[in-house]
Amino acid sequence: MTSSTPSGRTGAVKIAFIGAGSVVFTQGLLADLLAFPELRGIHVALHDIDAERLATAEGAARHIAATRGAEPEITAHLDRRAALHGADFVINTVQVGMNPATRTDFEIPARYGLRQTIGDTLGVGGIFRALRTFPLLRALAADIAELCPDAWLLNYTNPMAMNVMYLAEATPLRRVVGLCHSVHWTVRDLADLLGVPYEEISYLAAGVNHQAWVLRFERAGRSLYPLLDDAIAKDPQLLRRVRVDMYRRLGYYPTETSEHSSEYVPWYLHHDSEVERLRLPIGTYLDIIEENTAEYEKTRDALAVGSPLPVEGTMEYAPQIIHSIVSGTPRTVYGNVPNHGLVDNLPAGAVVEVPCLVDSLGVQPTRIGALPPQCAALNRAYVSANELVVRAAVEGEPRHIRHAAMTDPATAAALPVERIWDLCDDLVRAHADLLQPELRAVLGH
């Protein structure tokens, strides 16, 4: 396709996939991208440091293009800079340390009696996932600033809020938005629960990633919350979900699963009775990563023998953003961006999740005003931990890692402060090779 690109030059729109070896996710994004007629001639530049996964991603991309009847240029690169050169959009899905690092994030805290379910956003799992991702983000940002300075960086890598905040604080990049499907699928799930067509629902959500709130939930101008209350009253099993419990007490439905939501507050995971009542699957993310690996291997093996692969859209935001910027088609998505006058009662510079208008001018966040005070109070605890993790990396201050863990609600509810410091020391030792040198210090009490 020849068109006017976001940078103003004429030529094929180039999209660099960093971490393309996340093959199943890459497949979904490509299926969405190549479904748009305006994007069927794009240049897809795939990058991964794992040669086998990169080859699998390339094979899947070519299969999807053929199935969609599209003719993109597809290139595969072990060298990140080659993939980035001249890109208009960069999609980041890198997971630094892959499955072994994730297992460490669960196994060491478990020895301290600290329970986690997902461990990718807040808590000690989120903290150390961020700290081993930041060096990659700094290097990626430097390459983008040099090789494609006008590109939009669309980040999917968790912990979303910490990563986007780090990019804003530590790098020159400003065209950055963090993307997560939690708001969209929360409203979809609520629509299914209530038997209301999703297309007839209007909604507004805001807060922080994985802990935003459905502030308005309407059909034809009337709130659907009373209908949700009726559904909960009729089905006692719904009361055995963390997010329903939080909704009943706070008045606004949270935008992430119960497994996620349980980790960002002090009320649930530390108590055996609550784990049982709310059916919380401790360590469930370890099962998820094994399932993801199996799905990757299934895709790899199918390509090797020429078996057909499913080509299914995902409704992810990155393809919608790219299409809107390239074609000028306006639409609203939810994005994670620094709080510059967007949410009044959250700190300036904290990364917030808000609706964003997207058109040929780019991603334009929507001002929300003030959140309900009870929701903002929980969000402030979340962003306080985020800020300390970012400060640890920006200032090279290892004490702030411990301060972040002390501030984290679920960790503080479970462990005395000396054990928190011991746990951080053990995780620093385990992840030392992936941390920036200044943060490798073991501090003791």
Side-chain angles (χ1 to χ4, degrees):
M1 176 186 68
T2 299
S3 64
S4 177
T5 67
S7 61
R9 64 176 173 80
T10 298
V13 172
K14 183 176 181 180
I15 305 168
F17 284 73
I18 307 302
S22 303
V23 172
V24 176
F25 198 63
T26 298
Q27 283 180 267
L29 294 176
L30 285 171
D32 286 344
L33 284 164
L34 298 178
F36 290 113
E38 299 92 336
L39 300 179
R40 291 188 174 183
I42 56 177
H43 177 184
V44 175
L46 305 169
H47 163 68
D48 203 277
I49 61 173
D50 184 313
E52 180 193 282
R53 281 183 169 265
L54 180 61
T56 303
E58 182 182 7
R62 296 191 185 281
H63 172 80
I64 291 166
T67 303
R68 285 284 196 232
E71 296 184 353
E73 178 184 357
I74 298 171
T75 58
H77 309 271
L78 289 169
D79 176 15
R80 182 178 67 216
R81 289 173 61 84
L84 290 172
H85 191 272
D88 299 292
F89 300 94
V90 180
I91 298 176
N92 179 42
T93 60
V94 169
Q95 182 184 350
V96 175
M98 294 292 288
N99 293 2
T102 299
R103 290 191 191 94
T104 296
D105 286 342
F106 278 85
E107 290 169 357
I108 292 178
R111 294 203 291 266
Y112 283 76
L114 183 62
R115 293 165 169 161
Q116 299 178 98
T117 52
I118 306 295
D120 71 349
T121 299
L122 211 60
V124 291
I127 290 168
F128 280 88
R129 181 179 283 241
L131 292 172
R132 63 179 182 264
T133 304
F134 289 168
L136 176 279
L137 293 179
R138 181 185 284 273
L140 175 62
D143 285 347
I144 291 172
E146 177 186 350
L147 300 168
C148 52
D150 295 322
W152 281 92
L153 174 56
L154 309 178
N155 180 70
Y156 277 104
T157 296
N158 284 321
M160 181 65 66
M162 293 188 209
N163 287 340
V164 174
M165 188 176 188
Y166 179 81
L167 286 163
E169 295 280 337
T171 80
L173 300 189
R174 293 299 172 262
R175 288 187 167 186
V176 177
V177 60
L179 302 177
C180 176
H181 51 222
S182 62
V183 173
H184 171 85
W185 288 111
T186 290
V187 178
R188 283 267 183 184
D189 289 346
L190 287 174
D192 291 343
L193 176 64
L194 302 183
V196 176
Y198 172 80
E199 294 74 19
E200 297 180 13
I201 294 176
S202 298
Y203 61 93
L204 174 68
V208 294
N209 182 238
H210 292 172
Q211 198 189 62
W213 315 95
V214 180
L215 303 176
R216 296 180 64 181
F217 180 46
E218 301 174 357
R219 182 189 194 188
R222 299 185 65 179
S223 176
L224 288 170
Y225 269 135
L227 197 60
L228 177 59
D229 294 337
D230 291 342
I232 293 169
K234 293 174 182 175
D235 185 357
Q237 290 302 308
L238 291 175
L239 297 175
R240 300 187 68 190
R241 298 182 183 179
V242 164
R243 65 199 312 197
V244 171
D245 192 74
M246 291 177 67
Y247 160 63
R248 291 178 64 243
R249 299 175 193 281
L250 299 167
Y252 297 90
Y253 202 76
T255 62
E256 248 305 342
T257 64
S258 293
E259 291 85 354
H260 274 284
S261 295
S262 67
E263 294 189 305
Y264 316 142
V265 293
W267 313 316
Y268 301 117
L269 286 171
H270 183 50
H271 304 283
D272 292 346
S273 59
E274 292 296 83
V275 170
E276 181 179 356
R277 177 176 76 93
L278 298 166
R279 301 172 294 187
L280 289 171
I282 306 305
T284 189
Y285 194 64
L286 295 177
D287 296 328
I288 293 171
I289 63 174
E290 293 303 325
E291 291 167 6
N292 290 342
T293 299
E295 193 65 26
Y296 159 73
E297 291 172 350
K298 181 180 175 182
T299 299
R300 178 200 63 199
D301 296 345
L303 286 167
V305 298
S307 297
L309 296 173
V311 178
E312 300 174 356
T314 61
M315 300 297 292
E316 287 289 348
Y317 287 138
Q320 297 179 55
I321 288 173
I322 292 169
H323 179 257
S324 286
I325 293 176
V326 170
S327 70
T329 304
R331 54 169 55 90
T332 298
V333 304
Y334 276 78
N336 292 273
V337 294
N339 184 28
H340 298 309
L342 301 173
V343 180
D344 292 343
N345 48 355
L346 293 182
V351 170
V352 294
E353 190 165 62
V354 295
C356 302
L357 168 67
V358 191
D359 58 19
S360 60
L361 299 179
V363 180
Q364 303 152 67
T366 301
R367 172 174 160 74
I368 297 299
L371 295 175
Q374 68 275 27
C375 298
L378 292 181
N379 287 169
R380 281 196 293 269
Y382 175 119
V383 300
S384 292
N386 287 353
E387 181 182 8
L388 285 163
V389 178
V390 173
R391 294 264 69 79
V394 171
E395 298 173 8
E397 174 48 83
R399 292 173 63 88
H400 284 332
I401 300 173
R402 286 77 179 169
H403 298 155
M406 291 164 62
T407 303
D408 172 67
T411 306
L415 298 176
V417 68
E418 287 191 359
R419 296 294 284 164
I420 291 173
W421 280 56
D422 290 341
L423 171 57
C424 288
D425 280 350
D426 280 352
L427 285 166
V428 165
R429 291 186 188 98
H431 290 305
D433 290 346
L434 298 174
L435 304 180
Q436 66 191 67
E438 304 95 322
L439 300 183
R440 298 173 186 171
V442 174
L443 301 183
H445 301 318

